[in-house]
Amino acid sequence: MNIGDVAKASGVPAKTIRYYEDIGLIRPQRGENGYRAFRQSDLHKLAFLGRSRALGFSIADCRMLLELYEDDGRSSSEVKHIAQQHLDEIDRKIADLSEMRATLGELVKSCAGDNRPDCPILSSLAQERS
């Protein structure tokens, strides 16, 4: 398969596929003409990487997950550890976003939004952190 075919089949853009090759996540064969020749195993890896990235795993995590996937002697506890760390980070981000939303919601509620120049939103933003 060429890069266009594998991009379409995997759902991973060609530019991303080239990047994954540059950083060593995939290693497609090259024909004598220099063109990439993707195998079914490359397509499978790209789909795996696409799903992993869609779940927000970092490139480093994807590299580890792919190595574990290819290791028949792997321990599922290693995989779970990576996934749990990522889940914990997502939970932290959700908590941070919830706090930001609550703060911004209170600021929006406290602003009259009329023609007067005073605005609690701007006042709050201008406050120095302690």
Side-chain angles (χ1 to χ4, degrees):
M1 285 180 275
N2 66 32
I3 196 164
D5 294 336
V6 80
K8 185 176 181 180
S10 68
V12 177
K15 185 175 182 176
T16 304
I17 293 171
R18 288 185 197 95
Y19 172 68
Y20 288 168
E21 181 183 13
D22 288 345
I23 63 172
L25 280 176
I26 59 163
R27 291 180 182 83
Q29 295 177 333
R30 295 270 182 169
E32 287 185 25
N33 59 6
Y35 292 129
R36 293 169 188 85
F38 292 91
R39 300 163 296 224
Q40 194 66 31
S41 60
D42 297 319
L43 172 61
H44 187 73
K45 284 181 188 178
L46 286 167
F48 180 96
L49 290 167
R51 287 190 297 275
S52 299
R53 294 294 287 154
L55 287 172
F57 284 102
S58 68
I59 293 293
D61 285 344
C62 287
R63 186 180 303 279
M64 288 188 288
L65 289 169
L66 192 56
E67 287 172 9
L68 287 167
Y69 178 74
E70 294 175 329
D71 178 6
D72 291 336
R74 71 184 167 265
S75 164
S76 66
S77 65
E78 294 174 86
V79 179
K80 184 176 182 175
H81 178 73
I82 293 167
Q84 185 64 56
Q85 283 184 315
H86 184 54
L87 183 59
D88 293 345
E89 180 61 26
I90 289 171
D91 287 340
R92 278 190 293 279
K93 287 179 181 179
I94 289 171
D96 289 346
L97 285 171
S98 294
E99 187 177 320
M100 286 175 15
R101 188 189 190 298
T103 300
L104 188 55
E106 286 301 314
L107 289 172
V108 167
K109 198 183 308 178
S110 68
C111 181
D114 55 18
N115 292 328
R116 293 180 296 167
D118 37 312
C119 176
I121 298 170
L122 293 177
S123 297
S124 177
L125 295 174
Q127 289 178 354
E128 290 190 30
R129 291 186 106 174
S130 51

